[in-house]
Amino acid sequence: MRYNVASLPGKPDIVIPSLRFAIFVHGCFWHGHGCRRGARIPKTNAAYWTAKIARNRARDRRNAAALRRAGWSVVSIWECDSGRVRERKLKALRE
């Protein structure tokens, strides 16, 4: 297992090279998740933040697509789900 692999598109947070498996852990606000934390936009400079988060989401899609085209499996874990998802994802990896 390796962490923050800069040589791969998007610099995945966790990589399992032998399985060609990349995991991104996304912050809900920064990556525009639909949860309560991710759906809020700051009141000041709202136009800037709306555009910034839209660019982040587009970049995330491009990076995941590039990894999949290169034969990698890609999983995103959201900040708000990290505790609940961690065990399910780890179980799936073991299988």
Side-chain angles (χ1 to χ4, degrees), residues 32-50:
H33 191 227
C35 70
R36 184 178 53 136
R37 182 180 300 152
R40 68 178 173 81
I41 298 294
K43 292 178 181 164
T44 57
N45 213 358
Y48 167 80
W49 287 109
T50 300

Side-chain angles (χ1 to χ4, degrees), residues 25-95:
V25 182
H26 290 318
C28 294
F29 173 75
W30 296 106
H31 297 268
H33 191 227
C35 70
R36 184 178 53 136
R37 182 180 300 152
R40 68 178 173 81
I41 298 294
K43 292 178 181 164
T44 57
N45 213 358
Y48 167 80
W49 287 109
T50 300
K52 167 71 174 154
I53 292 167
R55 287 191 309 270
N56 289 351
R57 291 178 61 137
R59 184 193 63 225
D60 293 341
R61 286 190 300 274
R62 285 192 310 271
N63 289 331
L67 284 165
R68 286 186 181 106
R69 281 192 304 273
W72 288 80
S73 295
V74 179
V75 171
S76 294
I77 298 174
W78 290 98
E79 173 186 16
C80 65
D81 287 333
S82 61
R84 292 181 302 235
V85 172
R86 183 180 304 127
E87 287 305 315
R88 284 186 288 162
K89 298 285 182 179
L90 290 174
K91 182 181 176 186
L93 284 173
R94 285 185 204 111
E95 293 171 358

